Amino acid sequence: MSATTSASSTALDPKEEKRLKGIRNIGIMAHIDAGKTTVTERILFITGRTHQIGEVHDGAATMDYQEDERARGITITSAATQCEWDGIQINIIDTPGHVDFTVEVERSLRVLDGAVAVFDGVAGVEAQSETVWRQADRYGVPRICFINKLDRTGADFDKAYESIINRLGANAVRMQIPMGAEKEFYGIIDLLTRTARKFVEGSSGTEVEAIDIPEEFKEIVELRRNEMIEKLVEVDDALVDKFLEGEEISNEEIVRCCHSAVLQRHAYPVFCGSALHDKGVMFLMDAITSYLPNPLEVGAVVGCDPRDEEKELVRGPNSAEPFSGLAFKTIADPNGDLTFVRIYSGTLSRGDQVLNPRTRKRERVGRLMFMHADKREAVDTACAGEICAVVGLKNTTTGDTVCCNDNQVVLESMTFPEAVISMSLEPQAMKDRDKLSTVLAHLCKEDPSFRAMVDADTEEIVISGMGELHLEIITTRIDRDHGVPISVGAPKVAYRQTISTERDVEGKHVKQSGGHGQYGVANVRFVPNNESEEEGLEFIDEIKGGVIPRQYIPAVKAGIVGAMQTGGRLGWPFVNVKAHLHYGKYHEVDSSELAFQMAGSLAFREACKENTTILEPYMKLSVQVPEEYIGDVVGDLNTRRVEVDEIAVTGDLREVRGAVPIAEMFSYASRLRGMTQGRGMFSMEPDNYRPVPAWVAEKLVEEMTK
């Protein structure tokens, strides 16, 4: 974008400033089974939002309200709720931890101002912990950390803390230390105030009593407190000097530095407890309100003018500004789709008309509500800094901006990972085919990581997603929730292709058939592009002297892109290709955009002849098993082409970390259960695409060309 900027200029009313300072928009994020939903349930209970604690293991968690979530004991879709603590309104989004539903984390983090990263006190940083941490980095989300489950056998606060530093590269800062460990975890020492609180017996951790710091902790408290201050004052040069000179730093100065360090993502304060037994959650709530930012501190968002993308527009967190918001989630509903919107500026009221700059269409806000999991609280107006759900936006999908027509703006959207597996499906009764198409369209609108298409050759319906569990949930919903019985095919891997070696080719499309003919010649040098961040095509225009007129050059690129997506005889899309268009020919009368598009397509097809490499998706893998099963598990993994990086000791478990082709991991869950008597567990996250071995490639080509 150019430097042309339209800045926010509306003065902030004192009441509006106070309102915005009293809001926190936060997410709870972590690896699966680290305790995210349990933390959220305790927060809702101690803030009075719910009057009964819903347990994940009982299938009664408030935030896991879908039938599949309660049956499986995992979070599948992000859920929003609100509560209040110490006069602060906290809008919470509880996100999934399973890699198959990482898109839910992605779109939530895009609109949040802060997050609580939850870590298992036994396992520390796990595979999906790294994924969600990187997602938060990408969107610049300030975070605090909560090391959970410290009363479990094998829990080790210091080891979990060190894993945050070593595996995430994060500047973690202890703000508390636990007293006792595992079953003997009986209290928490606050390093800021040098106070110790002991959990009252029988209160499940909801009541604490102040005690003197036990003698055995006094020395470590001073050591850890000094470390805390040293890390936090780095954001304030004056306090650095004061610290180095040995002067006392006041608690107020430490709090101010901690808040500033979190906002700048310079440091990540670490707290501790056991959410299942309510231990430490009250102190976590104090940390959320003290250290995570309000919408004013996050500041204005920058977008662009939809009529001139070079022109930057700024929208400040102010209800008096023109309305702008970002749709980050859609739920298909028989009574009208629910669209979740983060409001960045202005106000949104029931009955308002808003513009979607992508579709250029106006839409009417039918109803407006705040969400508490699956419960809805109707409201007339929502203001800047708030998250609401809207009924009535028929053509707005995830990532779309909504704004007022008089002051249009397009905000930064979000990116979603490509699907890694697919399967075919068909309705058991042909009369349901049209209904199935409608259902799939609804599911695609809800979930940007889910794809559905009809194979042009076989007329099969093919669905694609992020993993076996993802597609299993989708197919279950089609049958159970939408009443369309279906038959499904075996999962298939989403392979890709790339060119193996550099080739300089000529694409020539010349046809003469009386009257105007077609004439387009493009000379293109194709080069493997494995080091580039551009996954698809990097197109470089090197035409000189007008040998191809400028208006035809985009057509050459379009032809190459089309041929790459078609995938040639194997049908898998091509990626990681660099194309240098360096020469060509045209005809004054017979040349056209269509002719040069065909020339680009023919050039790419020529470059691919006997010159392709098949790529397969690899996953980062973590397998945790008791020590007595490690030999059998590693032996089995070796048959699956796993590249083992390390075998680590995690509490009383052995953890195998490495990378594996997803093609080798279908049905692994049942295999692992059988080998470990149900005591093993594993997780995966997308890593990258790598060339398949020659013997695997031969099999794949044989299967695809039968």
Side-chain angles (χ1 to χ4, degrees):
M1 288 185 183
S2 71
T4 305
T5 303
S6 174
S8 171
S9 57
T10 308
L12 195 62
D13 180 86
K15 287 185 179 178
E16 176 72 355
E17 181 178 1
K18 182 179 179 181
R19 183 187 70 81
L20 287 165
K21 285 182 176 179
I23 296 175
R24 302 290 184 275
N25 293 310
I26 69 164
I28 312 291
M29 64 184 207
H31 182 89
I32 188 170
D33 203 33
K36 299 175 306 304
T37 301
T38 303
V39 169
T40 308
E41 293 294 326
R42 267 48 188 188
I43 288 174
L44 295 177
F45 181 71
I46 67 172
T47 58
R49 191 67 173 84
T50 57
H51 301 290
Q52 182 176 350
I53 296 174
E55 300 293 7
V56 175
H57 52 267
D58 292 335
T62 303
M63 303 302 285
D64 288 347
Y65 60 86
Q66 290 189 355
E67 188 172 333
D68 288 307
E69 293 178 313
R70 293 190 166 182
R72 297 169 188 269
I74 62 171
T75 301
I76 293 171
T77 181
S78 55
T81 189
Q82 293 179 325
C83 61
E84 187 173 305
W85 183 255
D86 198 22
I88 302 294
Q89 175 188 324
I90 303 174
N91 302 318
I92 302 173
I93 296 183
D94 176 33
T95 63
H98 196 287
V99 63
D100 284 17
F101 311 106
T102 189
V103 67
E104 291 286 340
V105 185
E106 186 84 20
R107 57 185 175 184
S108 298
L109 288 174
R110 168 63 182 85
V111 299
L112 293 172
D113 300 331
V116 177
V118 180
F119 301 94
D120 186 313
V122 177
V125 172
E126 299 172 88
Q128 190 67 4
S129 310
E130 296 182 41
T131 301
V132 297
W133 193 269
R134 287 197 301 272
Q135 288 174 305
D137 281 340
R138 183 158 59 248
Y139 292 115
V141 179
R143 277 146 279 170
I144 61 176
C145 304
F146 182 70
I147 296 178
N148 191 27
K149 302 187 178 184
L150 287 181
D151 51 2
R152 277 185 62 200
T153 301
D156 187 326
F157 174 75
D158 288 329
K159 188 175 179 181
Y161 168 79
E162 292 295 337
S163 74
I164 297 172
I165 295 173
N166 297 330
R167 293 191 63 180
L168 300 179
N171 183 26
V173 182
R174 296 181 186 88
M175 303 297 289
Q176 301 172 332
I177 58 173
M179 292 189 290
E182 302 179 343
K183 290 182 179 179
E184 304 303 319
F185 173 46
Y186 67 92
I188 291 172
I189 298 174
D190 186 316
L191 297 177
L192 174 69
T193 58
R194 292 187 179 97
T195 54
R197 275 100 165 213
K198 180 182 177 181
F199 305 122
V200 175
E201 288 291 332
S203 71
S204 297
T206 54
E207 296 177 23
V208 294
E209 63 174 291
I211 61 172
D212 292 335
I213 295 175
E215 195 64 36
E216 67 268 27
F217 287 102
K218 287 184 177 179
E219 185 177 341
I220 194 70
V221 164
E222 293 308 310
L223 177 64
R224 297 292 184 236
R225 189 174 192 274
N226 216 45
E227 290 174 359
M228 174 191 75
I229 297 172
E230 184 177 6
K231 286 188 174 184
L232 294 178
V233 297
E234 288 175 354
V235 297
D236 188 317
D237 291 341
L239 289 181
V240 169
D241 293 338
K242 192 173 177 181
F243 176 77
L244 293 175
E245 290 168 7
E247 295 183 35
E248 183 70 21
I249 310 289
S250 71
N251 288 353
E252 291 75 16
E253 289 171 323
I254 298 171
V255 169
R256 177 170 51 79
C257 284
C258 186
H259 183 68
S260 180
V262 170
L263 193 59
Q264 297 173 39
R265 291 182 292 121
H266 171 77
Y268 302 94
V270 179
F271 302 86
C272 62
S274 172
L276 183 62
H277 298 111
D278 305 303
K279 297 178 178 179
V281 178
M282 289 189 294
F283 307 138
L284 177 64
M285 293 299 295
D286 291 337
I288 289 170
T289 56
S290 297
Y291 302 128
L292 289 179
N294 61 57
L296 272 180
E297 290 169 321
V298 173
V301 292
V302 178
C304 69
D305 190 326
R307 294 154 295 195
D308 179 5
E309 292 185 2
E310 294 298 309
K311 184 180 180 182
E312 286 187 352
L313 298 175
V314 177
R315 291 289 184 267
N318 188 344
S319 296
E321 290 274 324
F323 167 71
S324 66
L326 188 74
F328 67 96
K329 180 180 172 70
T330 301
I331 298 177
D333 190 285
N335 300 316
D337 290 353
L338 272 179
T339 305
F340 287 71
V341 176
R342 163 67 194 266
I343 302 177
Y344 284 100
S345 64
T347 60
L348 185 64
S349 299
R350 188 176 59 176
D352 282 355
Q353 276 203 344
V354 297
L355 176 76
N356 182 331
R358 179 182 62 83
T359 63
R360 306 303 306 157
K361 292 181 178 179
R362 297 187 191 184
E363 301 203 62
R364 184 177 177 277
V365 176
R367 283 178 288 155
L368 199 60
M369 56 199 71
F370 293 139
M371 300 298 293
H372 175 51
D374 59 337
K375 297 179 175 59
R376 308 172 184 184
E377 177 188 334
V379 294
D380 292 327
T381 300
C383 303
E386 295 182 326
I387 293 172
C388 63
V390 180
V391 177
L393 306 184
K394 298 178 181 178
N395 300 300
T396 297
T397 59
T398 298
D400 283 350
T401 299
V402 284
C403 60
C404 56
N405 189 56
D406 296 336
N407 287 274
Q408 299 178 20
V409 65
V410 176
L411 304 176
E412 179 190 357
S413 187
M414 53 196 86
T415 57
F416 301 110
E418 288 296 321
V420 294
I421 72 166
S422 61
M423 64 171 58
S424 61
L425 57 81
E426 60 180 6
Q428 291 181 3
M430 288 308 295
K431 64 181 177 65
D432 287 335
R433 193 171 179 90
D434 289 342
K435 184 178 180 182
L436 177 59
S437 297
T438 302
V439 170
L440 291 173
H442 275 300
L443 293 172
C444 287
K445 187 176 181 182
E446 280 191 6
D447 183 352
S449 65
F450 173 67
R451 307 279 191 276
M453 59 171 285
V454 177
D455 188 290
D457 297 324
T458 65
E459 295 190 354
E460 271 187 327
I461 298 172
V462 178
I463 60 173
S464 305
M466 298 305 298
E468 279 187 284
L469 180 60
H470 187 197
L471 294 187
E472 184 184 329
I473 297 291
I474 290 285
T475 53
T476 300
R477 290 185 60 196
I478 292 171
D479 191 340
R480 184 194 64 216
D481 298 346
H482 298 279
V484 182
I486 54 174
S487 301
V488 299
K492 298 176 183 177
V493 177
Y495 291 100
R496 299 285 186 267
Q497 301 179 84
T498 191
I499 59 173
S500 304
T501 60
E502 178 178 330
R503 282 205 181 159
D504 198 330
V505 297
E506 180 180 80
K508 187 174 184 179
H509 182 68
V510 178
K511 286 190 177 181
Q512 298 293 339
S513 56
H516 283 311
Q518 296 181 43
Y519 190 98
V521 179
N523 293 77
V524 188
R525 180 164 52 89
F526 291 96
V527 183
N529 195 27
N530 299 324
E531 302 302 319
S532 172
E533 293 184 2
E534 296 190 41
E535 185 182 274
L537 172 70
E538 185 178 347
F539 183 80
I540 300 168
D541 173 14
E542 296 177 351
I543 292 298
K544 296 178 182 177
V547 293
I548 297 178
R550 309 307 305 171
Q551 67 266 30
Y552 297 143
I553 291 174
V556 177
K557 179 181 179 181
I560 296 171
V561 169
M564 288 176 63
Q565 292 174 344
T566 302
R569 69 188 182 112
L570 298 179
W572 297 312
F574 279 82
V575 295
N576 301 340
V577 175
K578 186 183 292 187
H580 298 258
L581 175 62
H582 60 87
Y583 190 68
K585 298 176 185 177
Y586 79 103
H587 189 279
E588 288 284 358
V589 176
D590 293 342
S591 287
S592 65
E593 289 186 6
L594 178 60
F596 275 98
Q597 186 171 333
M598 288 299 298
S601 178
L602 290 169
F604 184 74
R605 291 176 190 173
E606 182 65 26
C608 291
K609 286 181 180 178
E610 306 300 324
N611 188 36
T612 60
T613 298
I614 300 173
L615 306 173
E616 62 181 338
Y618 264 68
M619 310 292 284
K620 285 185 179 178
L621 175 69
S622 169
V623 184
Q624 292 183 336
V625 295
E627 185 175 6
E628 60 263 36
Y629 303 111
I630 190 67
D632 290 342
V633 169
V634 170
D636 179 73
L637 290 176
N638 287 335
T639 69
R640 298 172 184 270
R641 298 194 280 135
V642 171
E643 298 175 8
V644 176
D645 294 331
E646 65 173 323
I647 300 177
V649 179
T650 306
D652 57 348
L653 301 175
R654 295 294 180 267
E655 181 182 8
V656 183
R657 298 173 188 157
V660 62
I662 194 173
E664 303 290 345
M665 296 301 286
F666 293 141
S667 303
Y668 182 66
S670 57
R671 174 65 177 158
L672 182 64
R673 280 196 297 271
M675 285 189 294
T676 63
Q677 298 182 7
R679 297 170 64 192
M681 55 185 177
F682 79 104
S683 62
M684 297 189 297
E685 61 166 313
D687 190 9
N688 54 23
Y689 272 82
R690 305 183 193 180
V692 302
W695 64 273
V696 176
E698 287 175 11
K699 281 186 177 180
L700 291 171
V701 171
E702 185 180 335
E703 290 174 5
M704 295 299 292
T705 55
K706 278 181 181 178

